[in-house]
Amino acid sequence: MGIVDNDVLSRKAMKTIIGRVSRGFHVVWDVSTGAEALHRCLYTDKVPDVLLVDMSLADGDGCQICRELRRRSESIGLLAVTSYDPRVYRGRARESGAQGLLTKDALLANIADAIRSVVTGGVYPADSGFMTPRESYAVLNSPEGGSLDVELTSREVEVLRLYAEHHTTPQIARMLGIGEGTVYVYTHRAVGKLHVKNREQAITICKRRNLFNHVL
């Protein structure tokens, strides 16, 4: 584990909590600036499996640190932390390649599950809409520069949902009252917007963002 937070008392508290919730968690270093965190993650042999990033740092925005690190690494799990209302940062943290956002006043209750999920390549919580390290790395390094907060149309999501339910293209066309070519168009648009390689990857992202549950 690594920690970056400009508040020394906050870093000490997080180290104490992490040590308390599991003997299997070990903080290899904690630093006060985003620049130092980036250096240790990218240019030293003490690379953490998970980095806790405070969203408000003295030398910059925590989301900027997440984005810079995610563009250069698909292996480190990123957990954003904040003392403020999580709604302030959730969207930007997700768009910057983090795997979850935790409030400092709830760390004791949530940190263990969050670390276990993220260290194995997942997100926290599972239905949070965040993307895995590998998925966000691919998006942020796409030719378009990447956006993790892209909006799909309801029809694009509906087509992907039906594919996820193992319907064939002709079946989807009949169910929606459209041509098979139109089904392919919606699929192609969704894949392009998400900057992924194929339909299966687009379906995975929709599941992680809990999009299929919102299709009527």
Side-chain angles (χ1 to χ4, degrees):
M1 299 285 300
I3 299 172
V4 54
D5 191 317
N6 60 300
D7 187 332
V8 62
L9 294 179
S10 181
R11 296 201 308 274
K12 183 177 180 179
M14 282 192 277
K15 289 172 66 176
T16 299
I17 290 173
I18 290 169
R20 183 185 302 175
V21 297
S22 175
R23 293 182 179 180
F25 300 155
H26 176 61
V27 177
V28 293
W29 48 258
D30 62 280
V31 297
S32 61
T33 67
E36 180 66 13
L38 287 171
H39 175 77
R40 296 202 182 198
C41 287
L42 298 172
Y43 302 111
T44 74
D45 59 358
K46 291 186 177 180
V47 179
D49 295 312
V50 179
L51 178 65
L52 271 65
V53 184
D54 183 39
M55 290 290 92
S56 181
L57 297 171
D59 65 334
D61 189 303
C63 289
Q64 294 174 342
I65 302 304
C66 288
R67 178 177 286 268
E68 177 64 21
L69 184 55
R70 179 57 68 231
R71 283 187 183 275
R72 302 170 71 175
S73 171
E74 64 176 346
S75 61
I76 301 174
L78 299 174
L79 282 173
V81 294
T82 182
S83 299
Y84 301 101
D85 187 330
R87 291 174 295 183
V88 174
Y89 290 107
R90 182 174 287 115
R92 293 183 57 220
R94 181 178 63 234
E95 191 172 351
S96 299
Q99 278 58 69
L101 174 65
L102 304 175
T103 57
K104 292 182 179 179
D105 60 1
L107 281 182
L108 185 59
N110 299 325
I111 191 68
D113 288 340
I115 293 173
R116 291 190 184 101
S117 178
V118 172
V119 79
T120 56
V123 300
Y124 182 83
D127 60 351
S128 61
F130 284 85
M131 296 176 67
T132 69
R134 182 169 295 181
E135 291 168 344
S136 55
Y137 174 85
V139 172
L140 289 174
N141 283 285
S142 67
E144 294 81 3
S147 174
L148 303 183
D149 204 27
V150 67
E151 293 291 335
L152 299 181
T153 67
S154 59
R155 183 50 62 94
E156 289 164 352
V157 173
E158 189 173 19
V159 167
L160 291 176
R161 178 181 64 82
L162 292 172
Y163 273 124
E165 294 175 353
H166 308 294
H167 294 289
T168 65
T169 301
Q171 288 173 336
I172 294 173
R174 288 195 298 270
M175 293 170 71
L176 300 180
I178 58 179
E180 292 182 25
T182 305
V183 174
Y184 288 125
V185 168
Y186 284 125
T187 304
H188 178 74
R189 286 178 179 172
V191 168
K193 286 182 179 180
L194 296 172
H195 306 300
V196 293
K197 294 181 179 179
N198 53 49
R199 186 178 70 205
E200 287 69 28
Q201 291 180 355
I203 289 172
T204 297
I205 291 175
C206 287
K207 287 180 177 178
R208 290 194 180 279
R209 295 186 184 182
N210 206 28
L211 295 181
F212 294 152
N213 292 344
H214 301 293
V215 177
L216 299 178

